[in-house]
Amino acid sequence: MQVVGYRSRVEDHAGLLLAEEGSVSLERLNPGTELSYSLGERHCAGEVDGEVHHACENPSAPYCPEHTSRWPCARCTGECDKPIEACDEKHAVYLAAFAPDTVKVGVTRSWRLETRLREQGADRAAHLRTVADGRIARQIEADIAGELGDRVRVPTKIAGFDESVDDAFWEGLLAEYDPLSTYEFDYGLSLAKRPMAETLATGTVRGTKGRVAVIDNNGSTYAVDLRQLVGYELTDGGTDRDLQSSLGAFG
């Protein structure tokens, strides 16, 4: 069995795509889910076509050059000819905030706004504008990104998992950008301290936040970036690797 992808939003939580003998299944990471997998070798995750998996043994992970997706909008700044059909839909421009004081600007099709914010694990968000198409949205995004940035790395997000967004920081942004509406999200993690970043698939799922699963294992709590699991071969039975442990695990 191999981890061949993930979904950062399956109903209310995330999930892992698992492939075995060419068939793909979804492992939902709902709170309380018990995982008991050991990580084996890691190689290219190949290609998923619906419920069918096309394997690839290339050692590059999570994807080899042949299977690396090249999404045309990834670095778009609006200087384009709208290459995909979705570009002609209405788009929303938004701010996404991550505790305690990190923010990014982004765009998405307007009907996906709340879903997109949850996919990223945003703690708070502000809908700035709705515009006619993706090209206009990307131009606005590029202008704002010069000041606020347009991406936040997963380790930065994890560093604030046990904190809340700084109110003064957030209110200052709202005063400057005068949004149409705002959002505040609660992922139900109830963390008293920051979880430790680790790559594992053993333990009890506490919950998920964007593409990060929070897993309790042997008295410690870990934050697992699901992308870091993609490409690994899995075997049944919990990990026997030595994991970093929080001091509270020995209390």
Side-chain angles (χ1 to χ4, degrees):
M1 186 182 343
Q2 185 186 21
V3 181
V4 295
Y6 63 90
R7 296 287 182 265
S8 54
R9 181 76 174 160
V10 183
E11 296 176 351
D12 289 333
H13 303 284
L16 286 173
L17 294 177
L18 305 180
E20 189 168 20
E21 298 181 350
S23 180
V24 178
S25 61
L26 176 68
E27 175 86 68
R28 294 175 182 269
L29 300 178
N30 297 333
T33 297
E34 296 288 343
L35 300 177
S36 185
Y37 298 115
S38 294
L39 305 185
E41 294 184 357
R42 193 183 191 204
H43 58 88
C44 176
E47 181 181 0
V48 174
D49 182 7
E51 296 181 358
V52 177
H53 176 240
H54 303 285
C56 176
E57 297 302 322
N58 191 303
S60 299
Y63 300 101
C64 69
E66 181 180 349
H67 291 112
T68 297
S69 174
R70 293 174 176 81
W71 184 44
C73 301
R75 303 305 302 162
C76 177
T77 58
E79 303 300 323
C80 65
D81 58 358
K82 297 190 289 185
I84 61 177
E85 185 176 341
C87 292
D88 287 318
E89 297 182 40
K90 289 183 178 180
H91 277 61
V93 183
Y94 63 83
L95 300 182
F98 306 87
D101 56 4
T102 301
V103 68
K104 57 154 284 188
V105 62
V107 305
T108 188
R109 285 173 288 174
S110 57
W111 61 269
R112 289 196 81 248
L113 178 56
E114 183 171 344
T115 296
R116 182 59 183 145
L117 293 168
R118 288 185 175 272
E119 285 176 345
Q120 296 179 77
D123 293 302
R124 297 189 191 179
H127 177 192
L128 301 185
R129 293 180 62 181
T130 298
V131 295
D133 58 47
R135 181 165 59 194
I136 298 171
R138 289 294 184 181
Q139 292 169 346
I140 296 171
E141 179 191 39
D143 288 341
I144 298 175
E147 179 179 351
L148 298 181
D150 59 3
R151 60 178 53 194
V152 179
R153 298 176 63 247
V154 169
T156 301
K157 296 178 183 180
I158 293 173
F161 267 25
D162 60 332
E163 300 186 62
S164 300
V165 172
D166 181 272
D167 286 330
F169 160 79
W170 184 238
E171 292 301 327
L173 285 171
L174 297 185
E176 180 176 357
Y177 286 94
D178 190 23
L180 300 174
S181 59
T182 60
Y183 298 82
E184 186 168 351
F185 301 106
D186 181 359
Y187 298 88
L189 299 177
S190 301
L191 293 167
K193 56 187 174 182
R194 181 189 308 175
M196 294 170 290
E198 185 60 89
T199 303
L200 78 161
T202 301
T204 304
V205 177
R206 182 184 289 238
T208 60
K209 187 175 182 181
R211 78 182 206 202
V212 178
V214 177
I215 297 176
D216 293 324
N217 180 300
N218 197 28
S220 294
T221 302
Y222 300 94
V224 182
D225 181 352
L226 299 182
R227 181 174 169 79
Q228 297 304 316
L229 288 176
V230 175
Y232 274 107
E233 296 284 350
L234 301 181
T235 55
D236 289 329
T239 182
D240 56 4
R241 293 188 299 118
D242 289 333
L243 302 173
Q244 56 179 332
S245 297
S246 64
L247 293 177
F250 302 99

